[in-house]
């Protein structure tokens, strides 16, 4: 059985369940900050599945609930 992923910091929360992933952006962050978070080994495979273009607005990654 594959281990489920749970990751949270002050900017994002990622929860992986059996057939879905919840990727919650908790507050607006700069694109540079998002790139640093995106490279955290634990969540790198998940963030690579999400296009940064759909998250960006005015050169920032916007909070999304």
């Amino acid at each position: 059985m594959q281990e489920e992923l749970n990751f949270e910091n002050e900017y994002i929360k990622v929860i992986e369940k059996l057939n879905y992933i919840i990727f919650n952006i908790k507050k607006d962050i700069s694109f540079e900050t998002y790139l640093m978070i995106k490279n955290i080994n634990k969540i790198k495979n998940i963030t690579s599945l999400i296009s940064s273009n759909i998250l960006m607005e005015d050169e920032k990654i916007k909070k999304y609930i």
Side-chain angles (χ1 to χ4, degrees):
M1 175 162 60
Q2 184 179 0
E3 183 179 327
E4 293 176 350
L5 168 70
N6 291 302
F7 173 83
E8 184 171 8
N9 67 16
E10 65 183 287
Y11 304 110
I12 67 168
K13 181 176 183 179
V14 180
I15 300 171
E16 181 181 22
K17 294 291 184 181
L18 295 174
N19 294 320
Y20 63 92
I21 298 167
I22 299 171
F23 188 84
N24 183 5
I25 299 170
K26 296 161 62 175
K27 62 182 177 180
D28 293 359
I29 56 175
S30 69
F31 188 65
E32 292 82 16
T33 302
Y34 175 71
L35 291 177
M36 288 188 309
I37 293 169
K38 181 178 170 150
N39 287 321
I40 296 171
N41 282 339
K42 190 170 186 177
I43 63 169
K44 196 171 195 169
N45 291 338
I46 290 172
T47 56
S48 68
L49 299 172
I50 302 169
S51 170
S52 300
N53 294 340
I54 64 169
L55 302 174
M56 289 192 69
E57 183 177 313
D58 299 328
E59 297 181 18
K60 286 189 175 182
I61 305 296
K62 298 301 243 178
K63 173 181 171 184
Y64 185 78
I65 298 179

